[in-house]
Amino acid sequence: MRRKTIVADLHNFLSLTQALCKYATGVVADENRLLFECIEKELPLEIFRFASGDEFNGWEVPQNWRVQTAELWRDDELVFDGTAHTLGVARYSKSFEGDLTWDELKPHLVTNSNLPDAHMFHCMWQYRPWDADWALGIPYKIYTHLGPGRYRVNLKTEYEPGEMLVAHHIKPGRSDKTIILQSNTCHPHMANDGFAGTAVLIRLFQWLATQDTHYSYRLVLGPEHLGTVFYLRDHSLDEINSFVCGLFEEMPGTEGPLKATSTFLGGHVVDAAIANAMRHHSRRFEIAPWRMGAGNDEVVWEAPGYEVPFVELTRSESIEQPFREYHSSLDRPELMNVDQLNEIFDVLKQTVITLEGNAVMHRKFNGLICLSNPKFDLYMERPDPTVPKNISEDSEKWGHLLDCLFRYFDGKTTILDVATQHDLPFEALHRYLQRFEEKGLISLSFQEMPRVKAVHV
């Protein structure tokens, strides 16, 4: 049973999610334009257009697809009208008209006995237009009233050339080194998988606009896989090599712990930054191997010739069943838990704060400093059986840090290295070390993330 809590929606995540969920979006769809017009009320966008039939590496931009009629009759009774819901017909179904037996009809019905009220999202043919057949998305409560008999199908769909739309928004920093954040736009009306994720990233970029950052940040919005495949194809190698890392965020609003999957090679700064943010700013979290969260466009960004280190942040319960209402008409805005959205937003903010603040520490003294001396006033109190002290629960962690800290001022160790080693929140540790700098004991030099350059063949 889901928690029933009253949590302030301080960032208006729900109203924005509801606004984005209004549109019947797809890889190529009439309402994609309306979606981006809605987003442009929040952030300026640059739109990239890819024509139907455009091909790259075997991927193909499909045509625009519409449903005109989708009737299922048994005898003289209309038992299902697929035009009543956007998911009532499998995406990119071909037209079909004819009489069928029950056994002939069943393979063309998409349903789920675990979600009796849901239309299921059959999306495979929009990625494989060459395989398209036809199918109807029928809720199981209707399906159970069907059975042996004669059926007539009147399904009329149309195809015409269209455009796949991908958009980006850029927040410039002092450097052209860029961090990518991404969400998908191709799941019509669906909240958790994806428009709540999009809403969280929009709010994050509105916060970023108020920050003076070293890195530039780029929000990329488009259809899963196909959008990113063609978006990256048309960027120069020099620009691709300015992308130092990225994060795909999705499924933020249901129950379950936060889950971050590692970059392909692992051990990247972004891996450590997001792990630290989750450890200290989420209630429950998991760190999963590459592609063992939900799995999305990180495979495109990390593909050979690009090799942008990319993580995924999600609440997916498993790759096979990310959440109960996954890919169905039940993935609605009212499913979202504001507390969960607030948490993922905070983790994303803390990840940015970590990447922006990570620095190497350089020593300006020799020997052991008496940190409790009022001249410095930098001592972190530890428990003492004879002296009552008002200290925090993690005081022993901070105390142990002081036993080690001076050796970290070696011009090589970063603040994030220390935060990871001592299980301390990066932002608090950063503030503490800034006090050492103010006292003239150390200097902090920003540590820009390295980028192993990709090579085109």
Side-chain angles (χ1 to χ4, degrees):
M1 179 178 294
R2 291 189 173 84
R3 291 179 298 153
K4 297 295 183 181
T5 58
I6 299 175
V7 178
D9 188 7
L10 300 176
H11 306 288
N12 293 317
F13 291 129
L14 294 184
S15 61
L16 181 53
T17 300
Q18 289 165 350
L20 301 178
C21 283
K22 291 178 182 177
Y23 304 105
T25 56
V27 174
V28 178
D30 291 327
E31 296 193 11
N32 288 351
R33 175 182 57 84
L34 299 177
L35 170 69
F36 285 127
E37 288 176 0
C38 179
I39 294 173
E40 284 186 306
K41 296 175 183 176
E42 305 288 336
L43 293 171
L45 298 175
E46 181 178 358
I47 307 294
F48 300 82
R49 303 172 185 275
F50 304 93
S52 296
D54 200 354
E55 294 187 29
F56 181 65
N57 282 351
W59 299 94
E60 181 180 321
V61 178
Q63 292 185 300
N64 196 6
W65 171 86
R66 302 184 188 94
V67 179
Q68 297 175 317
T69 305
E71 298 174 341
L72 177 62
W73 296 81
R74 181 168 60 185
D75 300 326
D76 294 327
E77 180 187 4
L78 179 65
V79 293
F80 180 71
D81 182 357
T83 64
H85 193 280
T86 301
L87 305 185
V89 180
R91 309 293 284 181
Y92 289 83
S93 286
K94 294 180 177 179
S95 296
F96 177 82
E97 187 171 1
D99 296 321
L100 298 172
T101 66
W102 174 237
D103 287 339
E104 292 170 329
L105 175 64
K106 279 193 295 185
H108 295 277
L109 302 182
V110 179
T111 194
N112 186 340
S113 61
N114 294 319
L115 301 174
D117 296 314
H119 297 270
M120 301 306 297
F121 180 39
H122 185 296
C123 60
M124 182 175 67
W125 296 329
Q126 63 185 354
Y127 296 95
R128 306 178 195 175
W130 48 84
D131 280 341
D133 194 355
W134 68 271
L136 301 175
I138 295 185
Y140 191 71
K141 68 179 181 181
I142 296 176
Y143 181 89
T144 58
H145 292 291
L146 306 179
R150 296 294 299 179
Y151 291 85
R152 180 163 185 79
V153 175
N154 181 17
L155 174 60
K156 295 179 181 177
T157 64
E158 64 178 11
Y159 300 82
E160 68 176 17
E163 294 178 320
M164 177 176 67
L165 304 183
V166 178
H168 76 205
H169 167 80
I170 296 174
K171 188 277 179 191
R174 295 186 298 278
S175 168
D176 66 351
K177 296 293 188 293
T178 300
I179 297 172
I180 306 291
L181 292 109
Q182 186 178 22
S183 177
N184 68 62
T185 61
C186 55
H187 291 57
H189 310 305
M190 293 178 216
N192 201 43
D193 184 22
F195 289 121
T198 305
V200 168
L201 291 185
I202 288 171
R203 297 297 186 233
L204 182 73
F205 272 78
Q206 290 170 334
W207 169 76
L208 276 167
T210 69
Q211 306 298 303
D212 177 21
T213 62
H214 172 81
Y215 296 107
S216 296
Y217 291 81
R218 183 174 302 195
L219 174 62
V220 179
L221 302 172
E224 291 179 1
H225 280 53
L226 275 168
T228 309
V229 163
F230 287 90
Y231 176 81
L232 279 172
R233 179 199 66 178
D234 292 353
H235 281 72
S236 70
L237 181 59
D238 283 345
E239 187 167 12
I240 288 167
N241 278 326
S242 74
F243 302 155
V244 291
C245 68
L247 181 148
F248 194 102
E249 179 258 345
E250 63 178 337
M251 306 181 194
T254 51
E255 292 303 311
L258 274 179
K259 184 182 293 185
T261 60
S262 75
T263 56
F264 180 74
L265 295 177
H268 193 273
V269 177
V270 72
D271 291 309
I274 200 166
N276 185 271
M278 289 194 304
R279 180 174 294 279
H280 298 286
H281 299 277
S282 68
R283 293 173 292 277
R284 293 186 297 146
F285 72 95
E286 296 176 9
I287 297 175
W290 161 258
R291 289 290 288 179
M292 294 300 288
N296 222 302
D297 281 23
E298 62 270 25
V299 294
V300 188
W301 294 95
E302 292 249 22
Y306 307 138
E307 295 139 40
V308 182
F310 233 79
V311 301
E312 185 196 44
L313 184 62
T314 181
R315 293 189 190 277
S316 172
E317 295 173 19
S318 72
I319 292 178
E320 297 80 15
Q321 186 62 46
F323 59 101
R324 181 176 178 270
E325 299 83 359
Y326 174 71
H327 273 201
S328 82
S329 59
L330 299 183
D331 184 1
R332 298 191 290 253
E334 52 266 36
L335 191 68
M336 298 299 92
N337 182 319
V338 174
D339 202 13
Q340 299 289 76
L341 299 177
N342 288 337
E343 182 182 74
I344 201 167
F345 180 77
D346 289 342
V347 165
L348 287 167
K349 278 183 60 176
Q350 290 297 325
T351 300
V352 168
I353 288 168
T354 299
L355 297 175
E356 289 289 332
N358 198 25
V360 170
M361 300 163 287
H362 304 267
R363 174 174 55 85
K364 293 185 173 182
F365 63 89
N366 295 312
L368 184 67
I369 303 294
C370 180
L371 296 178
S372 63
N373 189 304
K375 176 181 177 181
F376 301 110
D377 190 25
L378 291 168
Y379 187 68
M380 303 288 278
E381 294 287 353
R382 302 176 85 162
D384 187 322
T386 62
V387 179
K389 298 178 180 180
N390 183 20
I391 55 179
S392 63
E393 292 181 0
D394 60 355
S395 60
E396 190 56 45
K397 286 184 182 180
W398 287 95
H400 182 245
L401 169 70
L402 296 190
D403 293 338
C404 311
L405 185 59
F406 294 170
R407 290 297 299 270
Y408 297 141
F409 300 157
D410 57 6
K412 297 180 292 184
T413 303
T414 69
I415 299 174
L416 183 54
D417 292 334
V418 176
T420 301
Q421 177 70 25
H422 289 266
D423 190 24
L424 293 169
F426 176 89
E427 189 175 17
L429 179 58
H430 187 209
R431 287 196 302 267
Y432 180 54
L433 290 170
Q434 285 176 320
R435 292 170 56 196
F436 278 75
E437 188 174 43
E438 291 165 1
K439 298 292 184 180
L441 296 174
I442 64 172
S443 63
L444 298 174
S445 60
F446 177 71
Q447 181 77 355
E448 186 176 82
M449 281 184 283
R451 171 71 160 110
V452 177
K453 291 189 174 182
V455 177
H456 282 178
V457 296

